[in-house]
Each structure stands twice: as structure tokens, then as C-alpha cells.
Amino acid sequence: MQAAQLAYLQNLHQLLWIGLRIKGTPPKAVPVKAPTYTRPGGPSQQEQQRAQAHQARLARLRKFSPSHQPSAD
């Protein structure tokens, strides 16, 4: 967000420099490198345990659900 704001202010500064007819060349705008965020490798141990616990709860609940009962055939 700050990188975008800085780029906007630099462009505005250059525009005003030209629009107000200030002598000389406008200062060079230095691009700001925005940080990139990446997710670590795979799911953590805690996330895996939560997923397994969730699947176990679903299995217990489905045991009583009529839509997931095996057919009587």
C-alpha cells in the first residue's frame, strides 16, 4: 500500500513540476519494490490435525444422517 502511495506522490510531483513550469528537469522517480508474500511449503502439522478432527466429526454426524445411510437392498 505504501509503495502505491509513494509511486502516486512521485507521479504527482513530476506532473506539478511540469505544470508549474519549474526550470530544470524533474527529479527521477525511483520505483519502489513491493514486497511479495508467499505461503510456506505445505500445510502445517496443526492444520493437518484440525482437518483430521473435522473429518472424524463429519463421519460421526453422517452416521445418523438418512441421506448417507447405505441402501437397504
Side-chain angles (χ1 to χ4, degrees):
M1 186 75 162
Q2 289 177 343
Q5 289 175 344
L6 185 58
Y8 173 76
L9 289 174
Q10 287 176 348
N11 287 335
L12 185 63
H13 187 250
Q14 285 182 338
L15 182 67
L16 287 174
W17 191 284
I18 294 168
L20 296 175
R21 299 175 192 255
I22 298 174
K23 292 183 180 178
T25 58
K28 281 284 193 188
V30 180
V32 178
K33 187 174 182 179
T36 56
Y37 299 103
T38 58
R39 188 170 186 189
S44 68
Q45 176 104 13
Q46 188 179 19
E47 289 175 349
Q48 289 176 351
Q49 289 175 347
R50 279 190 204 150
Q52 289 173 351
H54 179 69
Q55 291 300 325
R57 281 192 303 272
L58 284 178
R60 282 194 305 267
L61 290 173
R62 285 184 179 150
K63 191 168 42 171
F64 301 107
S65 173
S67 62
H68 286 79
Q69 291 290 332
S71 61
D73 296 344

